[in-house]
Amino acid sequence: TIGELQRVLDHPLHWESLGLKAIERVTFIDALNMIREFRNRLMHFKDPLSPEEISRLTNFCNLVREIPL
């Protein structure tokens, strides 16, 4: 789940093993939490996202797509 991914990546050693030096761990974890909250609202409460929230989600998705594998 997104929450489990958050907890794993929140551990500094796990984060370091990814080698993502251009991205701050705390900022990324905060963004994952935002995504988790959006997902829960949509799936459990059918509460649609605002245009600003959709933009934030899109920006995060674009960031993740840029991470080299």
Side-chain angles (χ1 to χ4, degrees), residues 1-10 29 32-33 35-37 39-40:
T1 68
I2 297 172
E4 290 169 329
L5 179 60
Q6 253 183 289
R7 286 186 289 281
V8 168
L9 294 180
D10 197 32
I29 297 303
L32 275 178
N33 189 55
I35 300 306
R36 183 188 60 76
E37 289 174 356
R39 184 257 176 221
N40 287 345

Side-chain angles (χ1 to χ4, degrees), residues 5-21:
L5 179 60
Q6 253 183 289
R7 286 186 289 281
V8 168
L9 294 180
D10 197 32
H11 192 283
L13 290 177
H14 296 158
W15 181 258
E16 286 177 24
S17 71
L18 295 175
L20 302 176
K21 298 190 187 311

Side-chain angles (χ1 to χ4, degrees), residues 2 31-61:
I2 297 172
L32 275 178
N33 189 55
M34 173 189 68
I35 300 306
R36 183 188 60 76
E37 289 174 356
F38 288 173
R39 184 257 176 221
N40 287 345
R41 271 186 34 216
L42 285 167
M43 300 306 290
H44 297 291
F45 304 105
K46 309 298 186 225
D47 184 15
L49 299 177
S50 70
E52 179 184 333
E53 291 169 328
I54 291 171
S55 178
R56 293 174 70 191
L57 177 59
T58 300
N59 290 339
F60 182 75
C61 289

Side-chain angles (χ1 to χ4, degrees), residues 18-20 23 63-69:
L18 295 175
L20 302 176
I23 303 170
L63 170 70
V64 170
R65 287 184 185 112
E66 294 296 320
I67 295 173
L69 299 176

